[in-house]
Amino acid sequence: MCNRCPEVGATRRKLVLATAMGALIAAPSLKMAQAQPASAADTPDAALNLLLEGNTRYVANQPRERDFSAGRVARSQGQAPFAAILGCADSRVAPELAFDQGPGDLFVVRVAGNFVTPDGLGSLEYGAAVLGTKLIMVLGHSNCGAVNATVGALQKGNTLPGHIADLVRAMKPAVEPALKQPGDDLPQRAVIANVRANVQLLQEAKPILAEMVSARKVRVVGAVYDLATGKVTLV
Ligand SMILES: [Zn+2]
């Protein structure tokens, strides 16, 4: 569970999540979810290769031609996304486009600042444990407004309005170490620090992901999308 989120109701939330996952795994409807089409990748490394190959096509502006109506009926019977992405809500970083993937390929969780929330973690657990995603990628990006706002709040001690303050508060522990490192590339260092901290959170998230990671059923990686080039680089 995300240890940076407000503690209020955290225990109850854990119980609700555990109960819900138990129900999901036991529910008859899971049989539907298990009646999936063949996955595009059998291993975490194969899934990562598919993502990176898709990004190469995207950067070269050579995406695959897609017929979105073809396969729509088949997809209605189940899904087997091969990878999950924890990405930023930023309008310029759409995972399906950046990795040149079609409907049913990616299980995407997005929140400004691409950090782990309890609900996001539950979604990623569902993707891995029920839908069979082999890879989870935490995808940050250059010039991230949420990261920059967090850096600003740490440097100036200011408080942002409304619930934006909650978002920044949750991101501070991951971003703060970047402020203590030398160099004039603080915005990018902060983006990378935020990605790496959330990769670690997911790798250690008990009970579901930590177990699947240690059993090598799932791999968690971090990456940064460059807004100017579209290229995704592992970090
Ligand atoms: Zn962002």
Side-chain angles (χ1 to χ4, degrees):
M1 189 58 61
C2 171
N3 58 13
R4 302 198 306 266
C5 301
E7 286 302 312
V8 179
T11 303
R12 183 178 175 278
R13 191 181 276 271
K14 282 178 189 171
L15 282 171
V16 169
L17 178 62
T19 305
M21 283 304 295
L24 277 170
I25 289 167
S29 60
L30 180 62
K31 288 175 183 164
M32 182 106 166
Q34 287 173 331
Q36 302 162 355
S39 177
D42 295 332
T43 67
D45 287 351
L48 180 58
N49 283 339
L50 283 181
L51 286 183
L52 296 179
E53 287 167 8
N55 180 246
T56 298
R57 293 193 299 274
Y58 172 73
V59 170
N61 200 28
Q62 294 178 332
R64 284 186 175 148
E65 283 189 24
R66 297 186 193 283
D67 180 345
F68 289 106
S69 63
R72 187 173 285 149
V73 172
R75 286 194 299 273
S76 73
Q77 301 305 306
Q79 60 171 323
F82 67 85
I85 309 289
L86 173 56
C88 184
D90 193 295
S91 62
R92 299 163 293 182
V93 191
E96 287 87 350
L97 296 176
F99 295 110
D100 188 29
Q101 300 298 322
D105 289 334
L106 300 181
F107 193 75
V108 179
V109 174
R110 293 178 72 172
V111 62
N114 46 266
F115 67 97
V116 179
T117 65
D119 301 322
L121 176 57
S123 299
L124 294 169
E125 287 176 336
Y126 180 79
V130 180
L131 300 181
T133 53
K134 302 289 189 295
L135 182 81
I136 300 174
M137 176 182 280
V138 179
L139 182 63
H141 66 95
S142 59
N143 199 22
C144 178
V147 171
N148 289 342
T150 305
V151 169
L154 283 163
Q155 288 178 323
K156 300 168 194 163
N158 57 345
T159 303
L160 291 154
H163 295 290
I164 303 171
D166 298 336
L167 192 154
V168 165
R169 190 180 305 119
M171 291 176 65
K172 278 181 177 176
V175 169
E176 194 161 21
L179 273 68
K180 296 169 183 163
Q181 298 162 352
D184 56 5
D185 59 342
L186 178 56
Q188 189 71 359
R189 284 206 314 274
V191 164
I192 293 171
N194 183 51
V195 166
R196 287 177 175 164
N198 283 284
V199 166
Q200 188 175 352
L201 272 175
L202 292 175
Q203 287 171 333
E204 297 173 355
K206 294 178 179 175
I208 294 176
L209 293 185
E211 190 175 302
M212 295 187 79
V213 168
S214 65
R216 299 179 184 273
K217 292 178 180 169
V218 167
R219 184 176 166 195
V220 186
V221 300
V224 173
Y225 174 95
D226 185 85
L227 285 178
T229 65
K231 184 170 173 51
V232 170
T233 303
L234 296 176
V235 296

